[in-house]
Amino acid sequence: MSLRSWCKKGWLRKLEPAQDYIFNLLKGAKRDLQACKVNPVGLDWKFQIAFSAILKAAKAALAAEGYRLSRFAQQYRAIGSLAFTLKLNKIVIRTLDCFRKKRHVCVYKQVDTISEWDLKTIQEYADRIVTAVEEFLKSNHPSLC
């Protein structure tokens, strides 16, 4: 699989990379990353904010490659796209997908399901991914930084 094959399947759409779009996604990811660490809200909210940072960073990397997500399964595909853009391994992708599912539970089914460990772990992943996307952009798409 590749981003090109995802596009052929309709999971992605072509997008002309735009510096301001990518800048705003990364700015939002950094804001969310900071907010999930300092906001005096519950674990569920902090978890959701950290997950949002990961999604925005993934979308920024996709946009730099000339793609955007189609309507269906956006969060799932955003996470999966990190295997292509950042070359994240399957274990990391599966872990992020587990977090996607936990987020779904705490948003739509049951509150107070996020543990301190879950929050700490997703914050660490969010830190690494946002930083990795910034490095990816500088290395592979310096005109978009």
Side-chain angles (χ1 to χ4, degrees):
M1 282 278 185
S2 66
L3 294 178
R4 181 175 286 149
S5 65
W6 278 26
C7 196
K8 287 179 184 177
K9 290 178 179 267
W11 299 344
L12 299 175
R13 295 182 187 166
K14 291 297 280 174
L15 171 75
E16 187 64 37
Q19 186 179 26
D20 60 332
Y21 177 69
I22 293 166
F23 173 80
N24 282 320
L25 282 169
L26 265 180
K27 182 179 176 183
K30 290 178 189 177
R31 179 206 60 211
D32 290 353
L33 188 55
Q34 190 64 23
C36 77
K37 295 176 183 176
V38 297
N39 259 346
V41 294
L43 297 177
D44 289 5
W45 277 104
K46 288 180 181 182
F47 186 91
Q48 291 175 55
I49 296 167
F51 188 78
S52 176
I54 293 169
L55 291 178
K56 287 174 182 155
K59 289 178 183 181
L62 265 178
E65 292 289 294
Y67 297 100
R68 69 183 180 120
L69 297 162
S70 65
R71 291 181 165 199
F72 304 102
Q74 283 193 5
Q75 293 178 0
Y76 176 76
R77 302 275 183 240
I79 290 167
S81 73
L82 293 168
F84 303 114
T85 55
L86 300 185
K87 308 296 187 231
L88 296 183
N89 67 47
K90 290 179 183 181
I91 294 169
V92 173
I93 298 298
R94 279 191 213 120
T95 301
L96 294 173
D97 194 49
C98 287
F99 285 140
R100 178 187 64 82
K101 292 173 184 174
K102 281 186 180 228
R103 181 208 160 269
H104 182 84
V105 170
C106 78
V107 170
Y108 299 109
K109 295 182 179 180
Q110 183 178 351
V111 298
D112 298 326
T113 57
I114 301 301
S115 69
E116 290 280 350
W117 182 88
D118 291 331
L119 178 61
K120 180 180 180 265
T121 305
I122 199 168
Q123 286 173 336
E124 290 170 359
Y125 274 95
D127 270 329
R128 283 188 249 146
I129 290 168
V130 169
T131 300
V133 168
E134 287 181 305
E135 292 170 3
F136 168 79
L137 292 172
K138 287 176 187 171
S139 296
N140 298 297
H141 303 283
S143 66
L144 297 173
C145 296

